[in-house]
Amino acid sequence: NHRLPVIATSVGGNVELVKTNFNGFLIEKGNVIDLASKLELLIRDSNLRLRLGENGFNIIKEKFSTKNILHYQEVYSKL
């Protein structure tokens, strides 16, 4: 429950979970210059860091709430 923004590579399921400038940043795999740039940006801009972290927390809270988990369990049990 630390509400931190995410920096992830733009591969696999990361693309579906991380939205650049909303809850973090997607970077190209192996691009250490972009990684350093995004880290520096988040270190320097506390408002951005807090906003992206809060947005990420809200996404997880919504997607994985008890209500949603119970719904998924119900759907899976019918399969």
Side-chain angles (χ1 to χ4, degrees), residues 32-47:
V32 295
I33 293 171
D34 195 22
L35 174 60
S37 168
K38 297 304 188 276
L39 285 169
E40 184 176 1
L41 176 62
L42 291 172
I43 289 168
R44 290 178 186 249
D45 190 339
S46 61
N47 289 328

Side-chain angles (χ1 to χ4, degrees), residues 49-63:
R49 187 174 61 246
L50 292 171
R51 181 173 54 83
L52 298 182
E54 190 66 31
N55 288 343
F57 176 79
N58 289 333
I59 288 172
I60 295 302
K61 186 171 72 173
E62 179 181 311
K63 285 186 180 238

Side-chain angles (χ1 to χ4, degrees), residues 1-58:
N1 181 335
H2 296 287
R3 293 177 166 88
L4 295 174
V6 175
I7 300 174
T9 56
S10 54
V11 296
N14 294 342
V15 176
E16 296 174 16
L17 294 173
V18 180
K19 305 301 179 205
T20 293
N21 289 319
F22 181 74
N23 64 340
F25 297 104
L26 287 171
I27 61 170
E28 180 183 331
K29 181 180 174 184
N31 189 337
V32 295
I33 293 171
D34 195 22
L35 174 60
S37 168
K38 297 304 188 276
L39 285 169
E40 184 176 1
L41 176 62
L42 291 172
I43 289 168
R44 290 178 186 249
D45 190 339
S46 61
N47 289 328
L48 176 65
R49 187 174 61 246
L50 292 171
R51 181 173 54 83
L52 298 182
E54 190 66 31
N55 288 343
F57 176 79
N58 289 333

